[in-house]
């Protein structure tokens, strides 16, 4: 069995720079929010691949000594996201393999919906898998392809796959970046003193002072080699389906993805949320960090003052990564603490980007009330999450998603909030420029742009019955 829905991740690549692995280290540092379970870098000096990877955070893994073992002018790196399930070194990317045409390594962000079936087929014909990571399927398909060139082998392999992938492949001599035809996950191209850089999010370019050139287009394959940069469109055109949840929660506010600045979108969502769910109150407080821009937008529109009424301990990982319910409850307390002086005696609007299981919000409402708030109104910067994601955002099974089994008023009661309001799907799309027909909103309306095997959905208890 493959790990399920663990493929959020951050990827970074450099071609043509003497400090390739150091730059990749910095790039991964800037993308740490996309995955904290493990990280790896593979570099090439033109004749050989060098690999260093481990469990943990980028800063802890890559000592000077380890970076010193990554020579060369090109490199790719990967941050792996962590959830419950198998978290082992063998699953940390980039995955490296030798095959008929030489060596290759891949760094994948996304989730392949037919990976399980392809893996079963490959195993039936004798392939041996080393990880429980669905990205390994890509390596096997490339290695087994009958096409003559590496480029055609990658195209052949990816043509068999469905789902989401922003992918970096490195060989001894080339760096290849590909984005799936739906463009689910972001992928950007930049330049730095004549070198090329590729990253999940543009915030990685800012750190290394690289220039943002453009996004890699959905369905585009870019090959960077001694011939310079070449672009190909090998896949049939598909419906564009950028993940709207990247805007809501996952990407960093200082990044530009899908053509827009993330912070700007979040503030616009906050303003729209205000117009849809205004309530009179004394103070607006965000659930930090992810709720901050939404709350600023809400405060700007409502003219209700914004303040930090919850303080976050920044040395704790994202609460979502805690594997068990018992620990998750505790986890919220470890992470957030109310400021009595800010919320005491007040009518408080608390704003978060999303409610998934409801565990976090319930705890937060209780905390704020215990800190002396007179009223606690919960507002959410995304529509009710009712469907699991098949394309790389870590969401639990459908029955665990509180909004799929409860009405808004039932959720309000569960949270013990005085009122509860979510932004509408229409409102969300209204404030994102040119949003028509270019976003995946499946987690909010079950409109899945790429179909997935129902057996898989049933087996993983994603749905209790057909929709
Ligand atoms: P929950 O307690 O299950 O309702 O989780 C909601 C909290 O998790 C919110 O504070 C969100 O910011 C955060 N969150 C939402 N989606 C994710 C995700 N895919 N990974 C990590 N955290 C998330």
């Amino acid at each position: 069995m493959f790990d399920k829905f663990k493929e959020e991740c951050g990827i970074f690549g450099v071609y043509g720079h003497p400090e390739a692995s150091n730059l990749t280290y910095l790039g991964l540092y800037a993308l740490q929010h996309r995955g904290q379970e493990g990280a790896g870098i593979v570099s090439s000096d033109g004749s050989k691949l060098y690999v260093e990877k481990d469990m943990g955070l980028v800063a802890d893994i890559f000592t000077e000594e380890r970076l010193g073992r990554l020579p060369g002018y090109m490199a790719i790196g990967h941050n792996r996201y962590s959830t419950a399930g198998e978290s082992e070194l063998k699953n940390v990317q980039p995955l490296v393999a030798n095959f008929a045409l030489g060596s290759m390594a891949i760094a994948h962000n996304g989730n392949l919906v037919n990976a399980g079936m392809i893996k079963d087929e490959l195993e039936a014909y004798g392939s041996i898998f080393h990880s429980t990571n669905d990205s390994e399927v890509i390596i096997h398909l490339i290695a087994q392809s009958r096409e003559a060139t590496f480029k055609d082998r990658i195209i052949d392999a990816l043509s068999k796959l469905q789902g989401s992938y922003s992918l970096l492949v490195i060989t001894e001599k080339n760096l290849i970046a590909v984005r799936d035809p739906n463009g689910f996950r972001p992928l950007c191209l930049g330049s730095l003193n004549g070198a090329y850089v590729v990253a999940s999010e543009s915030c990685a370019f800012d750190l290394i002072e690289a220039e943002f050139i453009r996004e890699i287009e959905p369905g585009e394959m870019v090959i960077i080699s001694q011939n310079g940069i070449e672009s190909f469109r090998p896949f049939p055109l598909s419906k564009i389906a950028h993940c709207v949840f990247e805007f809501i929660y996952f990407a960093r506010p200082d990044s530009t993805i899908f053509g827009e600045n993330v912070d700007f979108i979040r503030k616009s969502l906050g303003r729209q949320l205000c117009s849809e769910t205004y309530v009179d109150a004394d103070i607006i407080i965000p659930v930090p960090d992810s709720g901050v821009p939404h709350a600023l937008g809400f405060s700007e529109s409502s003219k209700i003052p914004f303040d930090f009424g919850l303080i976050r301990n920044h040395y704790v990982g994202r609460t979502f990564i805690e594997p068990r319910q018992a620990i998750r409850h505790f986890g919220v307390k470890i992470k957030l603490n109310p400021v009595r002086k800010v919320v005491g005696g007040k009518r408080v609007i608390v704003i978060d980007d999303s409610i998934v299981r409801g565990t976090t919000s319930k705890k937060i409402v209780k905390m704020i009330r215990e800190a002396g708030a007179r009223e606690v109104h919960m507002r959410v910067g995304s529509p009710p999450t009712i469907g699991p994601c098949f394309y790389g955002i870590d969401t639990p099974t459908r029955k665990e998603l509180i909004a799929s089994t409860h009405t808004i008023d039932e959720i309000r009661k569960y949270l013990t909030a005085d009122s509860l309001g979510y932004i509408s799907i229409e409102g969300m799309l209204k404030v994102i420029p040119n949003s028509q027909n270019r976003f995946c909103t499946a987690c909010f309306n079950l409109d899945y742009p790429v179909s997935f095997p129902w057996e898989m959905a049933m087996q993983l208890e994603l749905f209790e019955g057909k929709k």
Side-chain angles (χ1 to χ4, degrees):
M1 169 71 81
F2 280 122
D3 297 350
K4 30 181 176 161
F5 314 120
K6 297 177 66 171
E7 309 308 332
E8 280 163 277
C9 308
I11 57 177
F12 187 89
V14 191
Y15 182 95
H17 198 288
E19 297 280 333
S21 53
N22 282 330
L23 289 172
T24 305
Y25 163 71
L26 292 172
L28 292 182
Y29 218 127
L31 297 171
Q32 186 76 82
H33 61 289
R34 296 186 71 86
Q36 301 93 37
E37 184 189 72
I41 299 177
V42 173
S43 71
S44 170
D45 56 10
S47 53
K48 191 170 178 274
L49 296 188
Y50 302 84
V51 193
E52 290 291 330
K53 51 185 182 176
D54 222 325
M55 306 297 292
L57 298 175
V58 175
D60 299 327
I61 298 169
F62 294 104
T63 56
E64 230 178 300
E65 193 196 334
R66 287 188 102 161
L67 285 169
R69 292 201 293 259
L70 292 165
Y73 60 92
M74 52 194 281
I76 59 170
H78 187 272
N79 278 332
R80 184 173 163 80
Y81 186 83
S82 165
T83 62
E86 271 189 80
S87 77
E88 288 181 56
L89 186 54
K90 67 181 184 196
N91 285 326
V92 175
Q93 299 190 34
L95 301 174
V96 191
N98 296 316
F99 73 120
L101 302 182
S103 305
M104 67 172 145
I106 63 163
H108 171 215
N109 172 209
N111 190 60
L112 305 168
V113 294
N114 62 344
M117 282 178 340
I118 292 185
K119 185 190 177 199
D120 291 346
E121 273 169 40
L122 289 167
E123 282 183 331
Y125 286 97
S127 290
I128 296 169
F129 279 75
H130 298 287
S131 71
T132 54
N133 188 326
D134 67 0
S135 311
E136 198 182 339
V137 165
I138 305 173
I139 293 235
H140 283 264
L141 289 175
I142 295 173
Q144 293 194 359
S145 169
R146 306 259 161 135
E147 297 293 337
T149 65
F150 191 60
K151 173 189 152 203
D152 289 338
R153 283 184 181 222
I154 295 181
I155 296 169
D156 185 34
L158 295 179
S159 304
K160 297 190 170 75
L161 293 169
Q162 286 155 15
S164 65
Y165 52 83
S166 279
L167 184 72
L168 294 180
V169 187
I170 192 177
T171 64
E172 288 92 341
K173 296 199 184 320
N174 302 326
L175 174 65
I176 295 150
V178 202
R179 199 162 163 213
D180 69 65
N182 303 95
F184 281 106
R185 302 279 142 235
L187 193 61
C188 313
L189 179 68
S191 69
L192 175 66
N193 304 329
Y196 285 103
V197 282
V198 189
S200 294
E201 290 179 39
S202 67
C203 65
F205 296 164
D206 297 338
L207 177 62
I208 57 168
E209 296 183 345
E211 207 179 308
F212 177 90
I213 301 179
R214 63 179 178 86
E215 295 185 34
I216 308 248
E217 298 288 322
E220 183 182 3
M221 174 181 204
V222 167
I223 300 184
I224 312 171
S225 68
Q226 59 181 12
N227 303 328
I229 184 162
E230 297 166 285
S231 164
F232 303 91
R233 306 255 170 189
F235 309 109
L237 283 182
S238 259
K239 182 179 165 7
I240 303 301
H242 302 316
C243 169
V244 78
F245 211 72
E246 292 270 356
F247 272 151
I248 289 165
Y249 170 79
F250 207 55
R252 245 171 65 160
D254 49 339
S255 287
T256 294
I257 56 165
F258 313 143
E260 301 298 333
N261 167 245
V262 175
D263 178 74
F264 171 78
I265 298 292
R266 285 186 193 160
K267 283 189 183 130
S268 309
L269 291 169
R271 284 191 286 268
Q272 177 66 21
L273 178 65
C274 174
S275 78
E276 294 184 27
T277 68
Y278 176 85
V279 60
D280 201 18
D282 304 311
I283 190 114
I284 289 174
I285 65 167
V287 177
D289 293 327
S290 50
V292 172
H294 298 90
L296 282 167
F298 198 112
S299 166
E300 191 192 302
S301 277
S302 62
K303 309 277 187 283
I304 300 170
F306 169 100
D307 205 344
F308 284 101
L310 288 167
I311 299 302
R312 176 172 169 191
N313 179 338
H314 280 100
Y315 305 94
V316 184
R318 290 183 165 186
T319 54
F320 215 72
I321 67 174
E322 300 288 359
R324 280 175 290 128
Q325 284 289 331
I327 301 176
R328 285 172 53 75
H329 276 279
F330 183 52
V332 178
K333 256 193 178 159
I334 286 182
K335 192 174 145 186
L336 295 169
N337 197 33
V339 185
R340 286 179 171 273
K341 196 92 180 142
V342 173
V343 299
K346 307 254 178 64
R347 295 169 301 160
V348 176
I349 299 179
V350 57
I351 302 191
D352 206 351
D353 64 283
S354 58
I355 294 182
V356 182
R357 294 178 172 89
T359 324
T360 311
S361 316
K362 187 178 172 66
K363 208 76 193 161
I364 286 170
V365 172
K366 186 163 175 260
M367 265 181 194
I368 298 170
R369 234 187 256 291
E370 283 172 359
R374 218 155 26 96
E375 292 172 18
V376 184
H377 302 275
M378 182 87 206
R379 293 293 178 271
V380 190
S382 59
T385 308
I386 57 168
C389 180
F390 292 90
Y391 318 118
I393 289 288
D394 173 49
T395 35
T397 63
R398 193 170 175 193
K399 62 181 179 213
E400 289 171 272
L401 294 168
I402 191 163
S404 83
T405 49
H406 295 70
T407 63
I408 306 286
D409 197 51
E410 285 167 349
I411 302 172
R412 184 197 62 75
K413 282 194 190 118
Y414 171 76
L415 302 181
T416 67
D418 292 290
S419 73
L420 169 66
Y422 290 84
I423 195 171
S424 64
I425 297 180
E426 303 71 44
M428 170 183 77
L429 292 174
K430 192 173 101 186
V431 300
I432 303 175
N434 310 315
S435 64
Q436 234 190 346
N437 297 326
R438 70 171 185 124
F439 283 95
C440 173
T441 51
C443 53
F444 305 129
N445 61 5
L446 306 182
D447 186 4
Y448 290 95
V450 169
S451 59
F452 44 84
W454 268 106
E455 307 80 67
M456 178 177 103
M458 297 300 189
Q459 201 186 351
L460 300 181
E461 292 180 13
L462 294 174
F463 289 94
E464 279 167 338
K466 291 207 178 200
K467 74 168 175 178

